[in-house]
Amino acid sequence: MYYKSTGYRIFNVANIVFLSIISIACILPLIHVLAISFSSGLAVDANKVTFWPVEFTIDSYKRTFADSDFVGSFINSLLRIVLGVSIGIIVTVLTAYPLSKMEKLKGGKPLAWFFVFTMLFSGGLIPTYIVIQKLHLMNTIWAIVLPNALGIYNMILMLNFFRGIPKELEEASLIDGAGHYATLFRIYVPVSMPSIATIVLFITITHWNAWFDALIYLKKEQWPMSTLLQTLVKAPDPSQHMTAEEAMMLTERTLKAAKLFVGTAPILLVYPFLQRYFVKGMVLGAVKG
Amino acid sequence: MRIKTNLALYGMLVPGIILTIVFHYLPMAGLVIAFQDYKPWLGFSRSPWVGLDHFRTAFTRPDALQVIWNTFIIACMKIIVNLAVPVLFALLLNEIRKVAFKRTVQTLVYLPHFLSWVILGGIITDMLSSQGVINKLLMPLLGLQPYLFLADGDWFRAIVVVTENWKEFGFSTIIFLAALSNVDPSLYEAAEVDGANRWQQTLTVTLPAIVPIIVVIGTLAMGSILNAGFDQIFNLYNPLVYEKGDIIDTFVYRVGLLSSQFGLATAVGLFKSGVGFVMIALAYFLAKRLANYRIF
């Protein structure tokens, strides 16, 4: 038994310590920002804050939520998610179902490649921008909802889930006289609720995190939170040029930290649910038998 | 009856097909402006043709050549590190037999994958700024002078590779862990009977078992040889590091959308898409050959 040998025991302890350090290193930056956001500007200025708030205060959060631009951007984000997820999941399911039935779908292979090809080659930024402009989608929410409504990667995941469903279910349903729409929505969708939930979470996070499309296609007051955050983060770093206002500017760090954390919070909230499903989904999508 | 029900299958594809044509294939047709002196008021059909002029400009402008080189070098470093670290991490994690510990580690290391580069860019720039925790606490602790890492091109590249890996290694580990859990336990028993210690078992059983998946992930990664990560670079860089940090995607954005040189930017973008496509096609071909990988 190798694991009873002294050498392996030493390795095992070292391994556990090493893995623990790495794991903690993955969340330390987040904890640091959280600590800054709950600390006073003075304490941050004096560099007393590492991983625990110093002179605890929720001032920066009060100021964040009193900022009408920020609250407005949060509402824009919600609108984007509601529209993006509902349209996205419907199109994904509708596309994945027929493609999971290659044997019944004449020309199914070329059709599948028609979709997959968009993962391999793209028109790129400028031509896409011009198309959005020509379609008069500029400054409308559709410019950020429609272009990637059908995520090919999600569609392939869904397709593989559907393939895993026993054929007998579909046959029974078709023999009972149900069409493909009824079979899809009354049998397949209810049976694959966990997979659909996974993909809904994937799409939600994608929309929550997306920022670039809104930056180039929408007006500032239409921006979702991530785009607004991006411009805050990219604003010239006050600490790079040391001015007289330095001390005052530095309290901006607590405010920035609070905003960054608000941008992170929804992901931390859905993460436990996501965690339950995504490992299975990922592996299914990546290594197939 | 059969035909009618199967017709429904095609009906379901209609929304997806329309969206794909409009938002993916139409822009591909729009690539013609790489060969045009595109004027928005004239449109695709009436803008004058300029042949390969934009490509000639792109490959003679020193900044454009630099950008292509930056993209290639950053992407290559990322590909190597992003393959090696998850494999090593999965091997180490696979040695852990306490399920609770294993699961906790996994939960923590996957987390950064789900955060956007906007958030992480904000966190990293704060930590590395002159007032940040690294310069004010860590460097003095190590007896070093504070340093503006994000203002130095070489450091910038290193930071880009390390932070990308920090964000993604946990997620990539999933696939290797799954492959490891599929290794037949009887192989280990046989090796043990033959007197192999754990290290020898790793070399003779574990590694050969996951080589195919390493080959697949490695070859497929070649497809992203010109994808150095727009989101990340855009959120971390500043004019001081353009020389070593500017990549094709950020260049296209600045030249194309900010200074409205549509033709030149599209030509550079087309070059990237073209090379990317050839590399991906090659990668799929190799992955199929070497490890019998299929997309469907």
Side-chain angles (χ1 to χ4, degrees):
Chain A
M1 288 312 217
Y2 64 83
Y3 49 82
K4 284 189 180 149
S5 73
T6 322
Y8 191 77
R9 277 190 185 155
I10 295 170
F11 163 77
N12 205 26
V13 171
N15 191 18
I16 287 177
V17 171
F18 178 74
L19 292 177
S20 306
I21 292 173
I22 297 283
S23 315
I24 292 167
C26 281
I27 53 161
L28 268 191
L30 280 181
I31 295 173
H32 177 62
V33 167
L34 189 61
I36 289 185
S37 72
F38 280 114
S39 300
S40 77
L42 279 173
V44 173
D45 186 12
N47 288 296
K48 287 184 195 155
V49 185
T50 45
F51 304 117
W52 197 254
V54 177
E55 298 169 26
F56 184 90
T57 163
I58 55 165
D59 270 3
S60 52
Y61 287 94
K62 277 191 196 149
R63 276 173 66 198
T64 297
F65 287 110
D67 180 345
S68 61
D69 283 353
F70 196 77
V71 175
S73 74
F74 183 73
I75 293 166
N76 294 339
S77 282
L78 289 185
L79 179 64
R80 169 176 200 162
I81 287 174
V82 169
L83 279 175
V85 170
S86 43
I87 294 176
I89 194 70
I90 291 172
V91 182
T92 305
V93 166
L94 278 180
T95 311
Y97 177 80
L99 292 181
S100 72
K101 317 226 150 298
M102 285 291 187
E103 69 285 350
K104 290 191 177 157
L105 196 73
K106 245 185 149 192
K109 263 265 153 90
L111 268 170
W113 277 106
F114 166 83
F115 291 108
V116 171
F117 185 70
T118 63
M119 285 172 103
L120 311 181
F121 190 82
S122 82
L125 177 66
I126 310 290
T128 309
Y129 181 87
I130 294 173
V131 165
I132 302 273
Q133 208 174 30
K134 295 250 163 187
L135 293 172
H136 301 289
L137 294 179
M138 297 294 259
N139 302 322
T140 71
I141 187 139
W142 305 113
I144 58 173
V145 165
L146 292 181
N148 292 307
L150 176 64
I152 305 302
Y153 185 77
N154 290 336
M155 193 270 284
I156 294 176
L157 275 184
M158 199 72 235
L159 183 160
N160 280 319
F161 284 128
F162 282 157
R163 265 194 198 155
I165 295 173
K167 285 222 168 15
E168 291 74 21
L169 266 180
E170 186 211 349
E171 277 159 17
S173 161
L174 288 179
I175 286 167
D176 284 349
H180 277 294
Y181 281 98
T183 310
L184 172 58
F185 288 109
R186 300 231 185 98
I187 314 267
Y188 272 61
V189 169
V191 167
S192 35
M193 248 6 209
S195 336
I196 292 179
T198 314
I199 288 171
V200 163
L201 280 171
F202 275 145
I203 305 177
T204 307
I205 289 199
T206 309
H207 276 294
W208 177 257
N209 280 341
W211 56 278
F212 184 66
D213 46 2
L215 181 74
I216 60 175
Y217 297 137
L218 301 184
K219 289 189 290 236
K220 196 174 175 195
E221 56 275 19
Q222 298 171 311
W223 282 355
M225 191 191 277
S226 56
T227 311
L228 191 70
L229 264 180
Q230 200 274 335
T231 55
L232 290 176
V233 167
K234 282 294 281 184
D237 178 2
S239 62
Q240 305 254 343
H241 8 216
M242 305 278 176
T243 63
E245 302 153 292
E246 190 185 0
M248 203 207 79
M249 294 291 252
L250 275 173
T251 60
E252 293 297 313
R253 270 180 77 200
T254 60
L255 195 58
K256 226 184 217 180
K259 288 179 173 169
L260 284 174
F261 191 72
V262 173
T264 313
I267 292 179
L268 297 181
L269 284 177
V270 300
Y271 189 60
F273 302 97
L274 195 62
Q275 169 76 5
R276 258 173 62 202
Y277 296 122
F278 82 92
V279 174
K280 220 167 106 198
M282 266 294 296
V283 172
L284 257 179
V287 263
K288 294 176 297 284
Chain B
M1 181 61 205
R2 244 305 117 88
I3 294 163
K4 213 181 123 204
T5 48
N6 283 346
L7 215 63
L9 289 176
Y10 294 97
M12 289 178 186
L13 287 170
V14 170
I17 289 177
I18 292 175
L19 284 172
T20 307
I21 289 178
V22 172
F23 293 107
H24 294 276
Y25 285 93
L26 272 184
M28 286 181 209
L31 281 168
V32 294
I33 65 174
F35 308 97
Q36 285 183 330
D37 182 18
Y38 180 78
K39 298 274 185 275
W41 57 91
L42 291 177
F44 297 113
S45 49
R46 284 183 297 147
S47 290
W49 294 90
V50 294
L52 294 174
D53 273 9
H54 294 307
F55 290 92
R56 239 168 261 143
T57 319
F59 287 104
T60 46
R61 258 175 79 150
D63 61 340
L65 283 174
Q66 179 72 43
V67 158
I68 291 169
W69 172 245
N70 290 345
T71 311
F72 176 75
I73 200 83
I74 292 176
C76 276
M77 293 196 296
K78 279 186 176 179
I79 288 172
I80 295 166
V81 177
N82 290 354
L83 187 63
V85 174
V87 170
L88 280 174
F89 194 79
L91 285 175
L92 289 178
L93 200 55
N94 194 44
E95 292 300 313
I96 301 291
R97 284 190 310 279
K98 287 199 187 75
V99 179
F101 180 75
K102 206 169 172 175
R103 204 162 281 162
T104 313
V105 170
Q106 289 185 10
T107 306
L108 294 178
V109 297
Y110 299 156
L111 180 61
H113 168 82
F114 292 100
L115 303 177
S116 74
W117 274 117
V118 170
I119 304 281
L120 296 178
I123 296 176
I124 292 162
T125 31
D126 178 86
M127 286 175 66
L128 290 170
S129 73
S130 59
Q131 299 300 316
V133 65
I134 307 268
N135 275 321
K136 283 287 169 176
L137 285 168
L138 191 67
M139 299 296 274
L141 209 68
L142 298 170
L144 297 168
Q145 286 300 310
Y147 193 73
L148 282 178
F149 297 96
L150 286 174
D152 176 326
D154 294 318
W155 270 105
F156 180 78
R157 283 184 184 168
I159 287 163
V160 163
V161 173
V162 170
T163 54
E164 157 95 10
N165 192 253
W166 168 78
K167 184 179 190 285
E168 302 296 346
F169 83 90
F171 203 66
S172 320
T173 301
I174 297 174
I175 294 164
F176 298 111
L177 268 183
L180 286 174
S181 67
N182 284 336
V183 178
D184 185 356
S186 65
L187 290 175
Y188 289 112
E189 285 157 24
E192 218 169 327
V193 171
D194 287 344
N197 63 26
R198 190 57 177 170
W199 176 241
Q200 287 160 334
Q201 288 177 27
T202 303
L203 287 183
T204 54
V205 178
T206 314
L207 273 181
I210 60 166
V211 161
I213 190 80
I214 297 178
V215 171
V216 169
I217 305 283
T219 38
L220 294 186
M222 276 169 33
S224 55
I225 202 82
L226 287 186
N227 263 331
F230 175 80
D231 270 24
Q232 181 193 19
I233 306 250
F234 195 79
N235 284 305
L236 283 176
Y237 81 166
N238 58 70
L240 292 174
V241 292
Y242 278 178
E243 197 194 328
K244 291 200 172 168
D246 204 11
I247 56 167
I248 293 178
D249 293 326
T250 48
F251 181 82
V252 168
Y253 170 70
R254 278 190 298 117
V255 171
L257 288 189
L258 298 187
S259 31
S260 296
Q261 301 187 53
F262 291 115
L264 176 62
T266 307
V268 176
L270 175 56
F271 169 74
K272 186 201 160 200
S273 295
V275 173
F277 180 66
V278 172
M279 293 304 288
I280 292 178
L282 196 70
Y284 277 127
F285 175 76
L286 280 176
K288 201 176 171 185
R289 262 294 165 80
L290 299 174
N292 205 17
Y293 175 85
R294 291 166 298 124
I295 301 182
F296 298 107

